[in-house]
Amino acid sequence: MASEASPTEAREFAAGLRSLLDWLHLTGEGARNEVVTLVQETLGPERLQQSVVARELPPLEHVNLQTALDAWTATGGRSVEVRGVVLPPHYAGIDLQQLMTGEGLPPVRLSAPSVVDLPNGPDSTLACLRTALLLVTDDAGRYVLLVQGPSEHEPRLRVEVAGLPVQQAQAVLAEIDRLRRELNVYRGRLVEVTQGPMGQVVLTFLDPPELHRDEVVLPAAVLDRVERHALGVAAHRAGLRAAGQHLKRGLLLYGPPGTGKTHTVRYLLGRMEGYTRLLLTGRSLGTVGSITDLARDLQPAVVVLEDVDLVAMDRSFGPGGSPVLFDLLDAMDGAAPDADLLFVLTTNRADLLEPALAARPGRIDVAVDVDLPDAAARRRLLELYGRDVPLQLSEDDVTGAVGRTEGVTASFLKELLRRAVLEALHEQDPLDRVTAVHVSRALDDLLDSTQAVTRTLLGVGGGAAVEGDGHGPGLPHPVVFTGSYGPFRG
Ligand SMILES: Nc1ncnc2c1ncn2[C@@H]1O[C@H](COP(=O)(O)OP(=O)(O)O)[C@@H](O)[C@H]1O
Ligand SMILES: [Mg+2]
């Protein structure tokens, strides 16, 4: 009984079989395929003899290709008809040659063009063609483009031209390339680079952080140095170039977790309006090669390489499979010196990077030690993170708190205030005031010796500061406290 199909199942099976047969009849051997017919009729016998010229593009260019095609289509004297082409599931791509001859053709059909909606700005998207024929009429006569965007089965992005002599076809592709570069949607934007489930590069637009200079608590000399190196070039770009000096530069921020390296980078990014800003962290650091190419096209640009120590020694996915750190250094080295390109690297483990950087000098021009806050800085941090808190602390209370927090990180002080607010809320809700009692209770809790892991995560050295590598309080180093997994989204 279990093995027999019910009447409904049998009917469904028959219906399925019928549609399969219809499909085969329509597209199978012997029948003229409608897509092939369209291409052949559009081109005519003579143009069908021309070679197909193809251009392979990085998949992340899909949205730029569509932007370029839209502009190209709108150019005066040109008319373009778009026809969608569908392939049954599980078929990889097709090529234009197959559509011209009908040979080796998978069962393709015409349809409304299918599109994928891709972000082309922080708040907008663009419908991008997946597999489509563009039937073009312009000065060059009548010809055909086939566009294929990346799909689940075929990660490539491709444009092909048929019906033109090779040189003219190349000129069409060159014009589309030019528009792609000129209208590039990533230019001047802040973009986070991640990797999708298939290892593909995914670019996400972010809103630039709005951090005021006062919110970055660092010794004045340190912040000045960072600013001068990152921002100072812009004003003197032409002068530097004229004097034959390079613009490409590398900045390394190193120091214990929670001292404000990411924070400082966010501040810089907020100030670097007009720059193309590309953020790489974690596994996406492996894409540094292609991202540097993009940055070069879109200069002035900043490429931020966050927490490079975490993957520095991982093998990349590239053909060579070299450590990511070497790819990184190669990419920095490969970019033209007169490109206005800034690389910002952050790390908790300068000791790990040092040998590689020393062996290949010239990549990093300025290395800045972002250290634990001294007493004056801790006082400023209490003020900064207490500015929206109804704090009632006497001068002595503040001095006491500053004294007790010797050896902690900046992020610890931020957390301290949050805890103090929570302590106060236990007594009063709505919050009335936060006093020395609350701060001191929060401190007791945070410094409690039984909370070793919490303290490590927040970066506390107690009194036993500076052990071994000179990077502070002997923390188990690869521990990172960046606040969250998307420190730039905050
Ligand atoms: N120097 C600093 N000045 C002001 N706030 C800081 C500073 N350092 C850290 N913070 C605060 O702590 C949070 C975590 O610091 P983060 O910059 O992620 O540390 P790092 O990147 O050095 O590990 C920041 O988002 C910020 O709110
Ligand atoms: Mg960080």
Side-chain angles (χ1 to χ4, degrees):
M1 166 167 175
S3 64
E4 267 175 42
S6 72
T8 328
E9 282 169 333
R11 256 196 311 276
E12 276 171 8
F13 176 74
L17 187 60
R18 204 175 316 118
S19 67
L20 177 67
L21 290 171
D22 286 349
W23 175 277
L24 290 174
H25 175 71
L26 205 72
T27 57
E29 216 61 56
R32 287 263 284 160
N33 179 287
E34 58 180 355
V35 187
V36 175
T37 306
L38 177 68
V39 171
Q40 291 180 344
E41 283 174 3
T42 302
L43 293 180
E46 259 170 52
R47 287 184 172 244
L48 266 178
Q49 304 309 311
Q50 301 287 1
S51 306
V52 174
V53 180
R55 175 85 96 239
E56 199 90 27
L57 300 171
L60 60 86
E61 279 295 294
H62 197 183
V63 65
N64 289 318
L65 174 64
Q66 188 63 53
T67 306
L69 286 173
D70 289 349
W72 184 77
T73 298
T75 308
R78 174 171 296 131
S79 82
V80 177
E81 187 192 343
V82 180
R83 303 297 300 270
V85 175
V86 270
L87 277 157
H90 308 301
Y91 276 89
I94 35 171
D95 56 53
L96 193 42
Q97 192 71 45
Q98 292 172 316
L99 297 183
M100 292 161 76
T101 60
E103 277 160 31
L105 192 69
V108 287
R109 288 203 295 192
L110 291 172
S111 72
S114 103
V115 293
V116 52
D117 210 24
L118 296 175
N120 66 344
D123 308 302
S124 56
T125 55
L126 182 70
C128 301
L129 293 169
R130 298 189 108 132
T131 307
L133 279 170
L134 277 58
L135 314 177
V136 186
T137 312
D138 65 15
D139 291 354
R142 202 148 161 71
Y143 56 99
V144 174
L145 265 61
L146 177 67
V147 176
Q148 285 178 95
S151 70
E152 216 178 306
H153 302 286
E154 191 71 51
R156 69 184 184 179
L157 175 64
R158 225 158 113 97
V159 196
E160 294 169 274
V161 185
L164 292 177
V166 171
Q167 278 197 344
Q168 278 187 51
Q170 286 172 321
V172 166
L173 291 173
E175 174 62 5
I176 292 169
D177 280 350
R178 191 188 65 74
L179 288 166
R180 211 160 42 80
R181 199 157 297 162
E182 183 186 308
L183 304 174
N184 196 301
V185 301
Y186 303 117
R187 187 186 307 282
R189 300 290 197 177
L190 174 57
V191 177
E192 183 180 40
V193 182
T194 51
Q195 280 194 304
M198 320 283 285
Q200 78 277 30
V201 178
V202 178
L203 301 185
T204 311
F205 292 93
L206 301 183
D207 290 323
E210 283 175 31
L211 268 180
H212 196 265
R213 194 171 197 274
D214 296 343
E215 296 171 80
V216 184
V217 179
L218 289 178
V222 170
L223 191 51
D224 282 349
R225 194 146 175 253
V226 167
E227 284 179 331
R228 205 164 342 116
H229 196 57
L231 312 170
V233 164
H236 305 294
R237 220 172 267 152
L240 281 164
R241 279 202 182 112
Q245 300 302 312
H246 67 92
L247 293 176
K248 186 175 67 171
R249 56 215 186 278
L251 170 65
L252 173 69
L253 303 179
Y254 66 94
T259 48
K261 298 176 297 294
T262 302
H263 192 64
T264 306
V265 170
R266 297 186 67 212
Y267 161 69
L268 282 179
L269 292 173
R271 295 245 350 232
M272 299 186 89
E273 222 173 279
Y275 278 74
T276 305
R277 291 152 284 181
L278 303 161
L279 296 175
L280 283 69
T281 129
R283 284 167 57 89
S284 75
L285 287 168
T287 66
V288 66
S290 58
I291 292 301
T292 300
D293 290 344
L294 183 68
R296 196 175 342 173
D297 282 350
L298 302 180
Q299 58 173 299
V302 199
V303 181
V304 175
L305 309 163
E306 265 262 78
D307 293 321
V308 282
D309 50 284
L310 293 183
V311 293
M313 292 305 148
D314 286 2
R315 301 276 152 183
S316 67
F317 314 97
S322 60
V324 167
L325 180 59
F326 292 172
D327 289 354
L328 243 138
L329 295 173
D330 284 346
M332 290 169 73
D333 205 36
D338 64 345
D340 188 347
L341 265 189
L342 168 68
F343 290 90
V344 182
L345 281 69
T346 72
T347 183
N348 303 319
R349 298 288 312 268
D351 58 314
L352 262 189
L353 304 188
E354 241 171 73
L357 294 176
R360 309 214 268 167
R363 273 81 164 182
I364 301 288
D365 326 278
V366 170
V368 174
D369 185 356
V370 182
D371 212 346
L372 299 172
D374 61 12
R378 295 201 298 281
R379 187 174 286 267
R380 274 182 65 198
L381 286 159
L382 283 175
E383 266 166 38
L384 173 65
Y385 292 113
R387 68 196 154 172
D388 298 326
V389 177
L391 273 177
Q392 291 195 355
L393 299 179
S394 70
E395 183 49 36
D396 281 354
D397 296 337
V398 174
T399 310
V402 167
R404 280 191 73 190
T405 49
E406 168 96 55
V408 307
T409 60
S411 59
F412 180 98
L413 287 157
K414 187 181 179 186
E415 178 64 11
L416 172 62
L417 279 154
R418 196 183 71 87
R419 300 276 182 116
V421 168
L422 269 175
E423 290 289 343
L425 280 170
H426 284 313
E427 293 167 7
Q428 345 133 7
D429 199 350
L431 188 65
D432 177 37
R433 65 212 155 106
V434 177
T435 66
V437 175
H438 304 124
V439 173
S440 143
R441 239 185 264 151
L443 253 179
D444 290 344
D445 187 43
L446 285 170
L447 296 174
D448 179 352
S449 59
T450 61
Q451 300 214 28
V453 172
T454 310
R455 286 190 299 123
T456 301
L457 290 171
L458 290 170
V460 189
V466 191
E467 224 173 67
D469 61 15
H471 280 153
L475 303 172
H477 263 314
V479 175
V480 196
F481 181 74
T482 53
S484 72
Y485 264 111
F488 287 97
R489 292 167 180 276

